[in-house]
Amino acid sequence: MAYTGNANSFNQNSFNTNTIIQVPTPVADDKAQLLQWLSPLEPRQRHKHIRESQLDGIGEWIFRTNEFQRWNTAEDGSTHSVLFCHGDPGVGKTHLSSRVIDHFQGSEQDITVTALYCDYLDKKEQTTSNIIGAILKQVVGDGNIPEDMRKAFEVGKRHLGGVGPRTSELLKMLKAVLAQRQRVVICVDGLDESLPDHRTGLLKALREIIQELPNIQLFLTARPFILDEIKRYFTHMDTISVTPSKDDVKILLKTKLEEDPEPDAMDDHLRAQIMETIPEKVSEIFLLVSLTIEAILGETTIHRRREKLEHMTNGQDVGDVYTATLDRIKAQKKDRSRLGMEAIMWISHSERPLRPEELCQALGVQLQSEDLNNDNQPTIRTILSCGLGLITLDSSSATVRLVHFTLQEYILANPTLFHSPHSMIAEVCLTYLNYQCIRDLPPTLWSPPPTTPFLEYASCHWGAHARRGTTQIVKQLVLRLLQQFDAHIACKLLSLNEFTYFNRGTLVKQGRPLGFTALHGAAFFGVQEIMIALLGIKDWDLNATDINGGTVFSWAARRGHDGIVKMLLERNDVDPNRADNSGQTPLSMAVENGHEGTVKMLLERNDIDFDRADWDGRTPFSFAAGDGCEGIVELLLEGSDIDPGRADKKGQTPFLRAAKGGHGGVVKMLLERNDIDPGRADSDGRTPFSLAVERGHVHVVKLLEERRNLIAKSTVMDESAKAIAMELP
């Protein structure tokens, strides 16, 4: 790939919270498809949103620090290639990250800048592979796509539903394109907001990049509690402790005062008091400063503002300010109070970030009503106003969010703020789905009509909320919804959301997920009370299948709902070995999805076929080893009669799949056995050793390197892999 010299190497963001999968249509822009294949994460719009809130002058101090200047001027391969900025929540770390990105984008030097803003709202989506893919797509998005990347994309497209690249493949491609750039700055903000497992994978990858490529520099930010974790990966990094300067606080206050909604309630003396008192007493956290001045300017007289200034600067921390702000929300006129608190409840307890139109329609649902009343929906402007600064609209992802993740932590630490939030949300979802206008929608639709933006969320997530809070009203609404469930639009939308299971071709042919009954729905969501109620209504065929061959029991096992699994296993009319259309048994599904409790329950029985293979020849043990599920691997080896060396139709043994996936714990466990051939090649002649080398799994290679005979047995290994192998001590 030719180097373009373009420092602005972001791609357009299309963050999509709507999981509906459309009927396949031709897409002219293959490059856009390929970039989306690399990763669904696209940070440019997030950066753009943060830039919009920047104030001139704030954060400029970082460029004057010795640490930044030493890092910025470090030569290739220097020990000063990593700069880590740490600070408490709300001190402005994300703002600093955006400043640093802009600093390099505005440079006349040949610098490629890539960035990622870790987000607690999106932490499930921000997997190691998606993050590495997001960095990669920023680099290649501004130029020609390498040919090997295009070929990998074409291969992935040929699989059902499309197969994304593995983490090791993404890392290999990323290192190849980074090596062709003159200088690359990778900025990762908010590492503490990512899930620990994903963070570990990312840090390992970044360390590998830094060690192999001297032209790379890292700029990282996080809260202080992960400082020791970061040091384990980058022992020679420079660090900066981030706290707002008093000058920055004064810039923020001056801007807020200039935007005073009630200028008549301000005089020069009070303005001077604010500019003097807040920087002295509330200067350690930007968020605290912002909420404090917002609370003061929320008063309507000079006297009340002066009282609020004294109260808000009396040694309060951010939790105290949240409490005070929530009290202010509750003190609003009745409907504004209700709307503000309900919006915060929805945002803090939803299963995924909500789009503005989804939240507006959800808040407009009238409980115990029979149909939708669009005239009862509040506007997003009204919702933001009622939230008194605690709710914000994120233009980068087109979602509504809390002002800061510390507010989410505050809400979780104070569960009495909302009474039974999940049962309330479930009741709203189910009331909506039972509306006549929703029931009248044909189940053959492939996406919700524009007039029903809340339909997708309600269809796909009502059960998750009902499982956490099932009241009598919720139970009644569920039973009403589940009557002829496979003929309801909610069932179709749910099946599209679960596209990894439901075959698109079958759905296109049938139009709707026939056979997905009320019991299937209850098993899918794991709502035990509903399952009990349904079983008491009539006699069911518990082995009846949906269009993909899934039974009620297989859905419960697939989703890891142990209560329902146990309930069904106690009956004598359930076949616990019934395979679906791909040949997968409930045990295999539970193993593939990592549900150790369900697997343990099945292993305690004597009527389970523990070693039954699916149509691809893969057994439950093959899935456990290939996915690196050490606990399940141990359970299957100890508690069942299986052949741990059994190969699938590609000739790949469980050991080979473990090595290929980089699962060192499983590899080590299997190497200790005498019924495993660790050098056995697959149908293409690739051995566990060659695959581990080619995919860059150094820890697995080290486990295997003592067995030199494994190298000799490899009949297929590319030249780079052989070179790596020969360099091993």
Side-chain angles (χ1 to χ4, degrees):
M1 181 183 72
Y3 171 60
T4 65
N6 183 0
N8 187 357
S9 56
F10 284 108
N11 296 296
Q12 290 296 324
N13 183 299
S14 59
F15 179 85
N16 181 15
T17 58
N18 188 336
T19 53
I20 295 304
I21 299 175
Q22 306 292 340
V23 176
T25 54
V27 179
D29 190 353
D30 286 342
K31 182 175 181 180
Q33 275 191 318
L34 186 148
L35 295 176
Q36 187 69 13
W37 172 74
L38 290 175
S39 172
L41 307 177
E42 301 185 41
R44 185 179 187 183
Q45 290 302 316
R46 175 68 173 150
H47 176 67
K48 181 180 177 182
H49 173 72
I50 293 168
R51 289 190 73 216
E52 291 172 353
S53 63
Q54 284 183 3
L55 298 177
D56 290 342
I58 290 182
E60 295 292 333
W61 60 266
I62 191 171
F63 303 120
R64 298 189 292 271
T65 62
N66 293 332
E67 292 84 0
F68 182 88
Q69 293 178 9
R70 181 167 57 240
W71 171 76
N72 188 30
T73 58
E75 297 181 357
D76 285 357
S78 167
T79 56
H80 298 291
S81 58
V82 181
L83 181 59
F84 176 54
C85 294
H86 57 89
D88 292 330
V91 298
K93 299 185 295 296
T94 297
H95 183 91
L96 282 181
S97 294
S98 70
R99 283 288 187 198
V100 170
I101 293 167
D102 288 347
H103 174 80
F104 288 111
Q105 284 183 339
S107 171
E108 295 181 357
Q109 303 177 43
D110 288 339
I111 303 176
T112 299
V113 187
T114 71
L116 186 95
Y117 294 92
C118 296
D119 190 343
Y120 74 98
L121 284 176
D122 202 25
K123 57 188 178 185
K124 293 181 181 178
E125 187 80 359
Q126 290 182 338
T127 62
T128 302
S129 58
N130 282 348
I131 291 173
I132 294 173
I135 296 172
L136 175 59
K137 70 193 294 185
Q138 292 176 63
V139 180
V140 301
D142 65 337
N144 297 322
I145 303 296
E147 188 59 30
D148 60 341
M149 196 177 296
R150 286 192 179 277
K151 290 180 180 178
F153 171 59
E154 292 301 325
V155 171
K157 276 203 308 183
R158 289 199 292 268
H159 290 80
L160 177 64
V163 176
R166 291 179 175 272
T167 302
S168 55
E169 295 167 339
L170 286 167
L171 183 57
K172 184 177 180 180
M173 289 188 284
L174 177 59
K175 288 189 290 187
V177 297
L178 290 179
Q180 300 178 41
R181 298 298 177 114
Q182 181 173 335
R183 181 183 177 191
V184 181
V185 176
I186 299 175
C187 299
V188 183
D189 175 68
L191 274 166
D192 55 289
E193 296 190 42
S194 62
L195 292 172
D197 287 347
H198 298 162
R199 183 167 66 240
T200 297
L202 174 61
L203 290 173
K204 286 180 178 178
L206 292 176
R207 179 178 61 185
E208 190 172 325
I209 290 171
I210 284 288
Q211 290 174 343
E212 295 183 19
L213 302 175
N215 60 325
I216 309 298
Q217 291 175 281
L218 301 181
F219 181 86
L220 312 173
T221 76
R223 285 194 279 182
F225 75 88
I226 68 167
L227 177 58
D228 290 340
E229 180 181 348
I230 303 293
K231 284 181 177 178
R232 288 201 297 270
Y233 295 93
F234 309 108
T235 54
H236 299 295
M237 67 180 180
D238 287 316
T239 63
I240 296 177
S241 178
V242 179
T243 54
S245 69
K246 285 185 171 58
D247 289 340
D248 284 353
V249 172
K250 289 178 180 179
I251 293 173
L252 174 61
L253 290 174
K254 184 179 179 181
T255 303
K256 293 289 186 181
L257 289 169
E258 289 173 351
E259 300 170 351
D260 188 352
E262 301 285 347
D264 292 339
M266 180 65 64
D267 60 20
D268 291 342
H269 179 63
L270 177 56
R271 184 180 291 105
Q273 269 190 297
I274 290 172
M275 292 298 295
E276 179 182 353
T277 305
I278 293 181
E280 288 297 326
K281 295 189 175 182
V282 195
S283 63
E284 295 182 356
I285 301 177
F286 262 124
L287 178 63
L288 192 55
V289 173
S290 183
L291 292 174
T292 297
I293 188 63
E294 291 283 354
I296 293 169
L297 297 182
E299 302 295 338
T300 55
T301 68
I302 293 174
H303 172 70
R304 291 179 65 85
R305 285 182 169 187
R306 187 171 286 114
E307 284 188 332
K308 182 65 72 172
L309 171 63
E310 183 178 351
H311 173 70
M312 296 292 288
T313 56
N314 191 23
Q316 297 189 97
D317 61 17
V318 71
D320 296 324
V321 174
Y322 285 146
T323 300
T325 306
L326 288 168
D327 287 343
R328 288 174 56 222
I329 293 174
K330 295 173 186 176
Q332 297 179 104
K333 292 181 180 179
K334 187 175 181 181
D335 199 48
R336 290 183 62 85
S337 170
R338 176 196 62 79
L339 191 58
M341 292 303 292
E342 285 188 7
I344 291 172
M345 178 193 74
W346 271 90
I347 296 168
S348 60
H349 290 84
S350 61
E351 286 294 294
R352 61 156 173 79
L354 295 167
R355 300 190 309 277
E357 59 271 26
E358 290 178 311
L359 181 61
C360 290
Q361 193 160 64
L363 292 173
V365 172
Q366 295 172 287
L367 300 180
Q368 300 179 6
S369 61
E370 291 298 319
D371 218 338
L372 186 62
N373 180 2
N374 288 323
D375 291 336
N376 195 50
Q377 294 179 27
T379 65
I380 190 61
R381 185 184 298 274
T382 300
I383 293 171
L384 295 176
S385 173
C386 294
L388 299 183
L390 295 187
I391 303 171
T392 182
L393 185 60
D394 187 345
S395 60
S396 67
S397 58
T399 58
V400 189
R401 57 192 292 140
L402 300 178
V403 66
H404 199 263
F405 74 91
T406 51
L407 177 54
Q408 179 79 29
E409 294 176 339
Y410 172 90
I411 290 170
L412 294 177
N414 294 273
T416 57
L417 274 173
F418 303 105
H419 177 67
S420 302
H422 287 292
S423 63
M424 175 66 74
I425 293 175
E427 188 175 348
V428 170
C429 291
L430 291 161
T431 298
Y432 183 88
L433 294 175
N434 279 304
Y435 278 155
Q436 191 59 47
C437 65
I438 302 298
R439 300 185 75 90
D440 288 343
L441 291 172
T444 52
L445 291 177
W446 286 87
S447 62
T451 55
T452 58
F454 184 54
L455 180 54
E456 189 271 340
Y457 184 90
S459 299
C460 298
H461 301 294
W462 66 262
H465 296 292
R467 189 170 62 250
R468 296 181 178 93
T470 303
T471 63
Q472 188 60 33
I473 294 177
V474 167
K475 187 185 297 185
Q476 292 170 0
L477 289 168
V478 172
L479 293 177
R480 183 181 174 192
L481 170 68
L482 293 180
Q483 295 172 9
Q484 295 183 322
F485 188 46
D486 65 356
H488 195 290
I489 181 62
C491 186
K492 174 66 169 290
L493 299 183
L494 178 64
S495 69
L496 290 172
N497 192 57
E498 286 297 308
F499 177 63
T500 53
Y501 175 77
F502 283 98
N503 183 289
R504 179 185 289 180
T506 308
L507 277 174
V508 171
K509 182 179 179 180
Q510 300 288 349
R512 57 192 175 99
L514 295 172
F516 196 82
T517 66
L519 283 182
H520 285 80
F524 174 90
F525 284 118
V527 190
Q528 198 164 339
E529 296 92 331
I530 301 302
M531 179 67 75
I532 294 171
L534 288 170
L535 290 173
I537 291 176
K538 67 174 186 178
D539 291 331
W540 297 81
D541 178 3
L542 290 176
N543 298 310
T545 61
D546 59 34
I547 58 174
N548 270 29
T551 64
V552 174
F553 182 75
S554 68
W555 270 113
R558 181 184 186 87
R559 302 277 293 180
H561 297 311
D562 292 347
I564 291 181
V565 169
K566 183 175 184 297
M567 180 194 311
L568 295 175
L569 285 176
E570 291 171 351
R571 301 174 62 96
N572 57 14
D573 54 352
V574 172
D575 180 1
N577 288 305
R578 180 76 176 259
D580 67 6
N581 294 351
S582 69
Q584 268 200 304
T585 63
L587 173 62
S588 184
M589 296 176 189
V591 169
E592 185 182 15
N593 289 281
H595 301 309
E596 192 168 326
T598 302
V599 173
K600 189 173 183 180
M601 205 180 304
L602 292 172
L603 290 178
E604 293 172 351
R605 297 176 62 89
N606 56 15
D607 57 350
I608 302 297
D609 187 347
F610 302 121
D611 213 25
R612 181 171 172 178
D614 62 18
W615 299 133
D616 292 323
R618 298 196 64 182
T619 63
F621 189 72
S622 172
F623 283 110
D627 292 340
C629 301
E630 295 179 32
I632 295 178
V633 166
E634 193 170 355
L635 283 173
L636 289 170
L637 289 174
E638 293 178 355
S640 61
D641 183 17
I642 63 170
D643 176 6
R646 182 175 175 179
D648 58 28
K649 289 186 177 179
K650 293 181 179 179
Q652 298 191 344
T653 64
F655 183 82
L656 183 144
R657 285 188 172 274
K660 181 174 71 171
H663 304 305
V666 175
V667 169
K668 186 176 181 180
M669 194 183 306
L670 296 180
L671 281 174
E672 295 172 353
R673 299 178 62 88
N674 56 16
D675 54 357
I676 297 292
D677 180 1
R680 181 174 172 179
D682 64 12
S683 302
D684 295 321
R686 299 172 301 180
T687 66
F689 183 85
S690 69
L691 285 168
V693 171
E694 289 171 13
R695 290 171 180 260
H697 300 313
V698 178
H699 57 301
V700 173
V701 172
K702 288 181 178 179
L703 287 171
L704 298 173
E705 65 179 331
E706 296 178 358
R707 306 193 179 200
R708 287 286 179 166
N709 61 315
L710 301 184
I711 303 176
K713 284 188 178 183
S714 180
T715 58
V716 176
M717 188 186 299
D718 64 27
E719 292 304 317
S720 62
K722 290 180 180 177
I724 295 172
M726 292 303 103
E727 290 175 2
L728 291 172

